Amino acid sequence: MAEKMLMKGNEAMAEAAMRAGCKLFFGYPITPQTEVAAYMAKKMPKIGGLFMQAESEVAAINMVYGAAGAGARVMTSSSSPGISLKSEGISYIAGSDLPCVIVNIVRGGPGLGGIQPAQSDYFQATKGGGHGDYHLVVLAPASVQEMVSLTAEAFDIADTYRMPVMIMGDGMLGQMMEPVEFENLPKREVPEKTWATTGTQMKRKKNIVNSLYIEPDALEKMNNERLERYELVKKNEVKVETVNAENADVVIVAYGVMARVAKTVMQMMEEKGIKVGVVRPITLWPFPTEEIAKVAESAKAFLSVEMSQGQMVEDVRLAVNGKKPVYFYGRNGGVVPSPDEICAEIEKIVGGMK
Amino acid sequence: MTTQIILAGFGGQGILFAGKLLAYAGMLNGKEVSWLPSYGPEMRGGTANCSVIISDTQIASPIIQKPDVLLALNGPSLEKFEDAVVKGGTIIYDSSLIASAKENADVNICGIDATETAIRMDAKTLANMVILGKCIKETNVFTIDQLKDALKKLMPPSKAALYDLNCKVLDAGYEL
Amino acid sequence: MAKVFEKPHALSDVSMHYCPGCTHGIIHRLVAEVIDELGIEGRTIGVAPVGCSVFAYNYFECDMQEAAHGRAPAVATGIKRAVKDSIVFTYQGDGDLAAIGTAETVHAAARGENITIIFVNNAIYGMTGGQMAPTSLVGQVTQTTPYGRDTSTQGYPIRVCEMLSQVEGAAYLERVAVNNIPNIRKAKKAIKKAFQNQIDGKGFSLIEVLSICPTNWGMSPQESMKWLEENMMPVYPLGVYKDKEQGEA
């Protein structure tokens, strides 16, 4: 068996990125993602890579744009306010069909907010953030090991579909330590980057990395080609974990660390004779709509539990599509819903159904 | 079996390291483990705490609502967590720094002179190890030798010279 | 029949969108000639800005990237760091480089980023129709300073070469103009040196080119040239502002 290491989520993710062939990292300091940058700064020079602290998040994401356009595996990480600043660049990266990996270790907002764990950037991550019709693949790990495996996969997904991939965690995941191993990580064959601006060497026509199309027809054509790739992503890349959901009294839908709290709730409610299931979206975009629709056939009710004022719950409602009631419970600003609070919420729901 | 341990004290008392050592020892002994620190500005001079879970089965939430074991190295930490400890649980606190704990017949409460013991052994920064030694004795999560093995692997080479002293302090805590 | 004049290879064979009398065409040609003469087209990657020269990616034959407004030096940094033996240049206007992209400009210089920046200063925002630029002169009438640039609200023009000359990481800074044949020749020499510096690994080089905007200045090209000489040159004196080889200018 592979040797296990006890590592912080942020550091394990950085290590996984380097092992996935990422040799360029452009960042800007912000709590609580600092360990990612610090780890990269220490290790990148040892593998012939580069860690660069940019003058701003805005500059960092545009450095990512340049490097991704030149065909490199490249990454940046930040936390909520920094991702807002990066959103302009992310829109350009999406519009120019460039692959890269962006990490958001989410903190409470809006504004400067706080630094404790939150999930209040769900809308920003899954519905845009920047301007224009575009999507990121959004991966939501729930353990340190998953931060590693999803990071490895993120680069391959980005290269396969030529699109930016976001890994969305929170300070809790980033700061916590769990045993982790780096053997047997997922790996795919990815297409060659024939479109990259690496210099023509006078052997081919020039490549242009660009998102500007003044003619509406041309822009629509580019956007629609991208839409076709989004459809492929929806078909091929949905990841979800479903536990105990069939015929459940209440199915909790939760992602990241919240899903782990949900599993604790599941165990607690079992002792009280109430069957609780858990659906954990691992990809927030594409959202596991079909899986939730399927669960809605037999489950009696849904409860979206989030560290926000209620964001993912909208996608849950769309997926359930009126078949069963969908409830919401959340805390925000950096407060994590406790198992007791969630249990009380479930008892209310079950009580109301009787 | 699952053991949920909260370690809490002032920043600088080695709380996070002590927690990491427990988690690491758990991992080396084939257990599922998680280590979750409080983070942010409070770490500098304020209170620091971490939650360590050691389990035979997969760990659901890494957040501890009701600890089986509380290791408290200052008064505010004890006050913050003592009521949450489960029936049949254990509280070990540093009586060098804390006058007393709330009486609770359902919980095994041990006040030990951790800081003074450490100072007497010329190891004033190792009150955390005194507490851990006592924790091993009271809870049986591991043997003291398992913890020492973990410590040997966890200590950076630059601090290897301090390994023997750390072990002595662990033993002293175990004997208290 | 012998050809006596032709486009440089590095300049694409397409018609440009620039207004009649605009000097962007001349500056594009100078850059392309230099790329040809140095034999670097195959490893050159250009970065186009947002502004009048936004379509520069259509006009150069080398690989090109289009940057967000002001971010060209950051994009160039990413490219240069990803493809180490590449030659990377940005082509930026005054609004792009000295207003929204000031931070990227200053910090690329501070890092001594081994890139070449062609900075076209015509004291106005052209693409959006003639608004005040960071380099607009005091009293200059533009669409957004209809009563002239008033220092009490709009402040003073930024002198980019002078400012960057204080940045230790910058290797070579020169201000040139394209208002007459001798100056065009000098401009080409400066541009060539800025590319040669990059080939030689000497670091950050920026050439500021004083340029005209007949359309938005509301003048004929001839009047524009005269206006540039009489009004811009006193505020923006030509010359070398820094050359690490020669010591401070």
Side-chain angles (χ1 to χ4, degrees):
Chain A
M1 203 177 81
E3 198 198 344
K4 284 197 171 181
M5 291 187 257
L6 189 65
M7 281 182 97
K8 280 192 172 188
N10 281 341
E11 294 180 345
M13 182 170 57
E15 177 66 31
M18 287 188 285
R19 288 181 189 228
C22 170
K23 290 209 166 165
L24 290 167
F25 180 93
F26 300 98
Y28 187 82
I30 185 169
T31 305
Q33 63 79 49
T34 310
E35 292 82 4
V36 184
Y39 194 86
M40 290 284 190
K42 207 165 155 186
K43 301 279 180 159
M44 273 295 194
K46 293 182 180 167
I47 61 162
L50 173 82
F51 163 82
M52 183 175 282
Q53 180 169 327
E55 60 270 28
S56 65
E57 283 93 348
V58 173
I61 194 68
N62 283 284
M63 290 173 185
V64 168
Y65 176 99
R73 281 206 154 175
V74 56
M75 180 178 187
T76 186
S77 72
S78 192
S79 179
S80 310
I83 296 293
S84 290
L85 282 168
K86 285 186 164 131
S87 292
E88 177 204 44
I90 293 172
S91 169
Y92 280 69
I93 287 169
S96 303
D97 299 312
L98 300 179
C100 68
V101 175
I102 301 151
V103 176
N104 185 1
I105 301 297
V106 183
R107 55 190 256 182
L112 215 39
I115 59 170
Q116 297 303 318
Q119 296 181 323
S120 40
D121 296 354
Y122 179 91
F123 283 153
Q124 186 192 48
T126 62
K127 315 282 178 190
H131 58 282
D133 266 341
Y134 76 89
H135 280 292
L136 312 173
V137 172
V138 184
L139 305 173
S143 67
V144 176
Q145 184 65 56
E146 218 173 47
M147 282 183 102
V148 166
S149 57
L150 289 179
T151 299
E153 234 181 325
F155 285 97
D156 285 346
I157 292 172
D159 284 351
T160 302
Y161 300 98
R162 285 187 65 180
M163 61 188 290
V165 176
M166 177 174 277
I167 300 169
M168 198 151 93
D170 58 56
M172 212 183 331
L173 264 178
Q175 300 286 332
M176 70 187 262
M177 283 199 269
E178 286 184 317
V180 64
E181 54 178 283
F182 292 92
E183 305 298 319
N184 307 317
L185 295 181
K187 197 167 168 38
R188 308 180 187 186
E189 288 293 319
V190 294
E192 225 185 304
K193 297 176 176 177
T194 52
W195 44 264
T197 61
T198 50
T200 63
Q201 313 304 324
M202 308 307 274
K203 286 178 186 156
R204 59 159 167 79
K205 285 200 160 175
K206 70 171 168 183
N207 285 333
I208 300 175
V209 169
N210 179 35
S211 62
L212 176 66
Y213 297 88
I214 287 291
E215 293 299 328
D217 288 344
L219 179 56
E220 189 185 44
K221 183 166 168 273
M222 286 305 295
N223 287 345
N224 286 346
E225 277 173 24
R226 192 172 307 115
L227 185 65
E228 282 171 27
R229 265 179 291 137
Y230 288 163
E231 292 304 323
L232 275 181
V233 173
K234 281 186 191 169
K235 200 173 125 212
N236 300 333
E237 302 296 341
V238 174
K239 286 189 210 304
V240 58
E241 181 192 5
T242 304
V243 188
N244 214 24
E246 206 172 328
N247 299 316
D249 296 310
V250 177
V251 169
I252 300 176
V253 185
Y255 67 92
V257 162
M258 269 333 300
R260 296 180 59 165
V261 176
K263 286 181 187 172
T264 296
V265 169
M266 186 177 85
Q267 293 159 7
M268 288 164 75
M269 296 309 287
E270 199 177 345
E271 289 161 20
K272 295 184 181 179
I274 296 174
K275 187 177 176 189
V276 169
V278 175
V279 171
R280 173 171 77 93
I282 300 169
T283 50
L284 302 182
W285 197 92
F287 193 71
T289 305
E290 282 179 28
E291 175 69 11
I292 290 175
K294 205 173 87 195
V295 169
E297 298 293 334
S298 71
K300 296 190 185 84
F302 288 81
L303 176 65
S304 186
V305 180
E306 303 170 43
M307 291 187 273
S308 77
Q309 292 183 334
Q311 300 194 11
M312 181 178 69
V313 65
E314 294 188 2
D315 287 333
V316 177
R317 284 201 178 106
L318 287 170
V320 172
N321 202 14
K323 277 184 239 163
K324 300 287 161 62
V326 176
Y327 302 89
F328 170 75
Y329 185 74
R331 298 291 301 269
N332 65 81
V335 182
V336 183
S338 73
D340 281 350
E341 289 168 49
I342 303 167
C343 285
E345 206 60 28
I346 287 174
E347 281 172 351
K348 264 200 276 178
I349 294 169
V350 175
M353 290 191 310
K354 278 174 188 165
Chain B
M1 200 183 85
T2 298
T3 309
Q4 306 199 21
I5 306 165
I6 289 180
L7 302 90
F10 290 121
Q13 282 181 309
I15 294 296
L16 301 184
F17 181 79
K20 185 175 175 183
L21 178 57
L22 284 173
Y24 193 67
M27 184 182 83
L28 292 181
N29 289 289
K31 309 277 188 186
E32 299 284 343
V33 299
S34 67
W35 173 95
L36 178 69
S38 57
Y39 65 88
E42 66 185 19
M43 286 170 75
R44 297 188 183 99
T47 60
N49 70 73
C50 67
S51 304
V52 176
I53 303 180
I54 300 162
S55 179
D56 294 323
T57 53
Q58 208 180 17
I59 295 164
S61 171
I63 305 162
I64 297 175
Q65 201 170 231
K66 299 183 181 82
D68 301 298
V69 180
L70 169 64
L71 307 179
L73 275 85
N74 68 7
S77 300
L78 181 67
E79 282 164 31
K80 185 170 178 184
F81 296 110
E82 62 187 335
D83 293 338
V85 176
V86 295
K87 260 188 195 179
T90 300
I91 295 174
I92 301 169
Y93 69 93
D94 185 353
S95 57
S96 309
L97 304 175
I98 306 168
S100 64
K102 252 191 237 171
E103 286 194 21
N104 184 344
D106 294 332
V107 174
N108 169 27
I109 299 174
C110 316
I112 60 167
D113 268 346
T115 298
E116 274 172 30
T117 304
I119 291 171
R120 268 202 306 279
M121 297 180 72
D122 234 3
K124 65 178 179 188
T125 59
L126 295 183
N128 58 346
M129 290 295 145
V130 180
I131 293 275
L132 275 192
K134 183 70 174 171
C135 171
I136 294 301
K137 188 176 181 182
E138 297 295 324
T139 65
N140 298 317
V141 267
F142 327 104
T143 66
I144 193 86
D145 289 337
Q146 283 171 328
L147 198 71
K148 286 179 186 172
D149 283 347
L151 181 64
K152 195 166 205 169
K153 288 186 178 141
L154 192 60
M155 281 179 89
S158 60
K159 290 192 175 169
L162 293 171
Y163 174 71
D164 290 341
L165 180 61
N166 273 268
C167 288
K168 270 188 210 160
V169 177
L170 274 174
D171 286 332
Y174 189 84
E175 299 303 332
L176 278 175
Chain C
M1 197 163 53
K3 259 189 192 171
V4 293
F5 188 79
E6 63 183 343
K7 277 195 172 183
H9 188 273
L11 206 58
S12 299
D13 194 11
V14 294
S15 54
M16 293 181 182
H17 71 285
Y18 297 113
C19 303
C22 174
T23 39
H24 266 307
I26 297 172
I27 304 165
H28 277 39
R29 183 179 171 97
L30 295 182
V31 171
E33 283 180 359
V34 164
I35 291 173
D36 278 9
E37 287 167 22
L38 295 172
I40 53 173
E41 186 189 312
R43 59 182 177 126
T44 296
I45 301 155
V47 183
V50 170
C52 278
S53 45
V54 66
F55 293 120
Y57 56 78
N58 285 328
Y59 304 148
F60 291 104
E61 270 302 277
C62 56
D63 276 357
M64 293 292 294
Q65 292 199 18
E66 167 57 33
H69 199 20
R71 316 300 174 216
V75 171
T77 298
I79 298 170
K80 186 74 182 183
R81 300 289 177 159
V83 188
K84 291 193 180 81
D85 61 352
S86 59
I87 301 298
V88 182
F89 76 93
T90 73
Y91 188 105
Q92 301 175 258
D94 39 47
D96 193 82
L97 182 139
I100 194 168
T102 315
E104 284 78 4
T105 304
V106 172
H107 285 273
R111 287 191 301 271
E113 209 61 63
N114 190 26
I115 58 174
T116 302
I117 292 184
I118 309 299
F119 166 39
V120 180
N121 178 3
N122 60 8
I124 204 155
Y125 279 69
M127 190 179 73
T128 45
Q131 296 82 23
M132 184 191 73
T135 52
S136 291
L137 306 182
V138 173
Q140 187 178 338
V141 172
T142 72
Q143 199 183 62
T144 49
T145 54
Y147 310 108
R149 182 172 185 166
D150 174 358
T151 56
S152 71
T153 49
Q154 275 100 21
Y156 296 86
I158 290 179
R159 295 183 176 94
V160 169
C161 282
E162 287 86 335
M163 176 177 74
L164 291 180
S165 68
Q166 303 303 309
V167 176
E168 195 169 334
Y172 174 49
L173 307 165
E174 182 167 354
R175 184 179 291 127
V176 297
V178 286
N179 58 315
N180 58 38
I181 302 299
N183 277 347
I184 290 174
R185 286 179 196 274
K186 277 188 203 159
K188 180 172 171 186
K189 212 173 133 209
I191 291 170
K192 193 163 184 176
K193 181 167 172 172
F195 275 92
Q196 187 64 48
N197 277 354
Q198 186 178 167
I199 294 168
D200 298 341
K202 288 186 178 148
F204 185 90
S205 299
L206 178 145
I207 306 302
E208 176 174 346
V209 186
L210 298 187
S211 183
I212 58 167
C213 183
T215 300
N216 289 300
W217 290 359
M219 302 174 197
S220 73
Q222 289 90 335
E223 287 167 345
S224 297
M225 292 300 185
K226 196 155 170 267
W227 194 85
L228 183 149
E229 284 156 24
E230 289 175 357
N231 296 283
M232 282 183 76
M233 281 189 180
V235 179
Y236 301 111
L238 304 188
V240 177
Y241 283 84
K242 186 167 185 186
D243 188 349
K244 270 193 178 168
E245 266 175 27
Q246 310 291 321
E248 303 295 312

